[in-house]
Amino acid sequence: MANSLYIDGEWRTATGTSFVTLDPATGHALREVGGASQADVDAAVSAARTAFRSTGWRDMLPVDRARLLFDFAAVIEAHADELAELETTDQGQLLSISRAVSVNGAAEHFRYYAGWVTKIQGSVNPISFPDTLHYTRREPIGVNALVTPWNFPLMILAWKLAPALATGNTVVIKPSEVTPLSSIRLVELAAEVGFPRGVINLVNGAGDVGAMLSEHPDVDHLSYTGSTQVGRIITRASADSNLKRLTLELGGKAPSIIAADADIDAAVAGNVMGATLNSGQVCAAYTRFYVDKRRENEFVDKLAGGLRTLTIGSGLEESTQIGPLVSAKHLGHVERLVRTGVEQGAQMVTGGTRVDRDGYFFEPTLFAGVTDDMSIMQEEIFGPVLAVTAYDGVDELEHLIDRANDTPYGLAATVWTRDIGTSQRVANGIKAGAVFVNMPPIPDMAAPWGGYKASGWGREMGPWAIDAYTELKSVWLHY
């Protein structure tokens, strides 16, 4: 795919460093993709700026912009099987997840924000000055860089692209170099829908291309999903360039609290799903388990049993329940943290090794007897690795909440209990952007998504994404 840049309505040959994307289920090469140079990035940003200023996009009637987004959703659905297979082959997620979550979620996001286009409005406000009218306007920010991760490349791109277009912005997309194929195909489909030239642009490449966008003085807003480490780099680059607006959805280390009164079978089933979805490569995956001592042995035994029954294989195989990790590099990261857990004294209950087959597979792994200071309780593993510790049910709930809050992250959390009071005290006390009660971590397009602390800045989805992609202007009229 030499022509892997989409700039100003045309596919172009990249002039930077090319790279090869691999099938994580086999380790075999899929395609060569051309990487962008600084000149390519500059051209994409310039095209987006020109399109933002053009009357064809700037003055498009809201009903016409909404129609484009509705059409885009329909085109995604028409190519659902193709997109799902492409996502599974490039990323490794189960085909059932690619179809039901990634592709369906992408289409539904465009449909949801198409409905918002005709409802973006300001307000008239009573003020203290006589003979003065005050009102507000919601206006698009301008040129937006959308930098997406490798774990759910298609769906997370839709999270960003749909509200950016709905609010009248223009974009430069930079997918992860690990999983770029579904993003390239999505942009091909967008070209068929008929967005004006320059509204949607795509550049490919590694972290150096992301840095070019972070540092670019003509990018007005950058939305990034990925690691906290890179989020800090982006923040510094923004401060040193033009103080561009940032939306950052970063790492997580979600705690799962199992109370003494929990339905243990339901908790085990929900936590197996919440911990192993996409092989644990989910920023909100449940990874730290705090279990009442009175239920600890039962929970650990049943959780280990549930993990052992999961079928490991290619995401294209219907029987598969655990697919591969995304790359050899990431497999090494997971292995390193599992070894560290053993070295620090955690008890290995099940799993713990890579699977002896082609591709990047790792067994679902459960540790017990874990202490709060161990690396497997503090660092984001991003793999199917679960760590259980116990708490004394007679202790103050506030102390348990303090333990659950004792990481740099604050993206998601869950509590399993039949007591409404316990659920509310935990939900109110946990420092996380989303708290789930008796359920896996499943976001929805109408609810805000984002984190506290080192898990990021701002919120995506729902009306909160409208805020993220617009400026609020205050107009004063004296008469």
Side-chain angles (χ1 to χ4, degrees):
M1 296 185 67
N3 295 332
S4 56
L5 308 182
Y6 188 70
I7 298 174
D8 199 22
E10 297 178 349
W11 289 98
R12 302 186 184 182
T13 301
T15 62
T17 303
S18 63
F19 57 94
V20 175
T21 181
L22 306 177
D23 180 347
T26 63
H28 299 159
L30 292 172
R31 296 184 191 174
E32 182 177 1
V33 178
S37 65
Q38 182 69 61
D40 295 327
V41 170
D42 290 344
V45 173
S46 177
R49 176 63 63 198
T50 299
F52 181 68
R53 291 171 175 161
S54 70
T55 57
W57 182 243
R58 185 190 66 203
D59 298 336
M60 181 179 288
L61 292 176
V63 67
D64 292 330
R65 183 177 292 124
R67 189 174 292 112
L68 281 174
L69 268 68
F70 279 123
D71 289 347
F72 202 180
V75 167
I76 291 170
E77 288 182 332
H79 292 80
D81 289 344
E82 173 198 356
L83 286 167
E85 186 168 341
L86 191 63
E87 190 82 332
T88 291
T89 304
D90 200 23
Q91 197 279 330
Q93 63 192 249
L94 307 188
L95 192 58
S96 59
I97 298 299
S98 295
R99 284 175 173 151
V101 177
S102 294
V103 177
N104 183 63
E108 288 301 330
H109 270 80
F110 282 102
R111 187 171 289 115
Y112 175 83
Y113 283 104
W116 263 104
V117 175
T118 55
K119 301 166 189 68
I120 300 169
Q121 58 191 14
S123 62
V124 176
N125 307 296
I127 57 173
S128 302
F129 301 144
D131 300 327
T132 304
L133 170 67
H134 177 266
Y135 64 94
T136 62
R137 289 170 49 87
R138 281 280 176 194
E139 298 183 349
I141 296 175
V143 176
N144 292 251
L146 311 181
V147 183
T148 56
W150 49 253
N151 61 330
F152 283 97
L154 182 68
M155 185 174 68
I156 293 178
L157 175 54
W159 289 4
K160 302 176 188 300
L161 183 58
L165 297 175
T167 47
N169 292 279
T170 58
V171 303
V172 179
I173 298 164
K174 206 296 281 186
S176 167
E177 72 278 14
V178 181
T179 56
L181 300 185
S182 61
S183 299
I184 294 172
R185 183 62 181 135
L186 189 70
V187 171
E188 290 176 346
L189 296 176
E192 295 178 12
V193 171
F195 288 92
R197 292 172 63 104
V199 169
I200 299 174
N201 303 274
L202 171 76
V203 294
N204 281 291
D208 59 327
V209 178
M212 294 172 197
L213 291 168
S214 302
E215 298 164 358
H216 207 289
D218 208 26
V219 170
D220 302 304
H221 171 225
L222 188 147
S223 179
Y224 168 76
T225 298
S227 73
T228 297
Q229 177 186 5
V230 173
R232 291 191 173 101
I233 295 170
I234 289 170
T235 302
R236 286 191 290 269
S238 169
D240 291 340
S241 57
N242 61 344
L243 279 175
K244 60 177 59 65
R245 178 95 69 88
L246 297 177
T247 304
L248 305 173
E249 200 260 277
L250 307 176
K253 191 69 179 174
S256 180
I257 295 171
I258 295 88
D261 67 345
D263 179 335
I264 291 296
D265 290 336
V268 167
N271 280 300
V272 167
M273 179 180 178
T276 65
L277 178 68
N278 202 21
S279 301
Q281 299 168 124
V282 179
C283 51
Y286 299 156
T287 59
R288 300 180 289 141
F289 300 85
Y290 298 85
V291 188
D292 188 292
K293 280 184 179 179
R294 292 166 288 183
R295 310 299 298 275
E296 180 185 12
N297 290 338
E298 179 187 6
F299 180 76
V300 169
D301 289 346
K302 289 184 174 180
L303 191 61
L307 295 176
R308 292 186 187 113
T309 66
L310 297 177
T311 302
I312 300 171
S314 166
L316 294 173
E317 298 168 4
E318 284 191 16
S319 61
T320 296
Q321 295 167 292
I322 289 280
L325 297 175
V326 76
S327 67
K329 178 181 178 181
H330 187 56
L331 176 60
H333 165 79
V334 173
E335 283 186 302
R336 177 184 64 80
L337 280 170
V338 168
R339 285 197 303 270
T340 300
V342 173
E343 292 165 1
Q344 292 179 345
Q347 174 194 347
M348 179 82 72
V349 179
T350 189
T353 61
R354 70 165 66 193
V355 179
D356 185 18
R357 58 177 290 170
D358 290 341
Y360 314 124
F361 295 90
F362 197 84
E363 294 178 330
T365 299
L366 176 63
F367 285 102
V370 180
T371 58
D372 292 350
D373 59 344
M374 289 182 179
S375 297
I376 55 175
M377 287 289 273
Q378 292 292 321
E379 295 186 39
E380 185 175 35
I381 301 174
F382 226 58
V385 180
L386 295 68
V388 176
T389 188
Y391 69 91
D392 190 340
V394 301
D395 285 351
E396 290 291 330
L397 188 60
E398 287 73 13
H399 176 59
L400 174 59
I401 291 171
D402 286 343
R403 290 179 63 193
N405 284 334
D406 189 24
T407 73
Y409 302 107
L411 184 62
T414 184
V415 56
W416 302 81
T417 179
R418 291 185 172 98
D419 184 80
I420 188 68
T422 298
S423 73
Q424 292 307 289
R425 284 191 290 273
V426 171
N428 294 342
I430 289 287
K431 295 179 180 178
V435 180
F436 297 88
V437 180
N438 297 329
M439 64 179 291
I442 304 172
D444 185 88
M445 68 201 75
W449 189 253
Y452 286 30
K453 302 187 288 184
S455 288
W457 291 352
R459 296 295 182 268
E460 295 185 294
M461 291 188 268
W464 299 273
I466 301 297
D467 294 340
Y469 287 93
T470 56
E471 295 281 12
L472 184 62
K473 178 180 284 183
S474 182
V475 180
W476 305 70
L477 174 63
H478 182 68
Y479 53 87

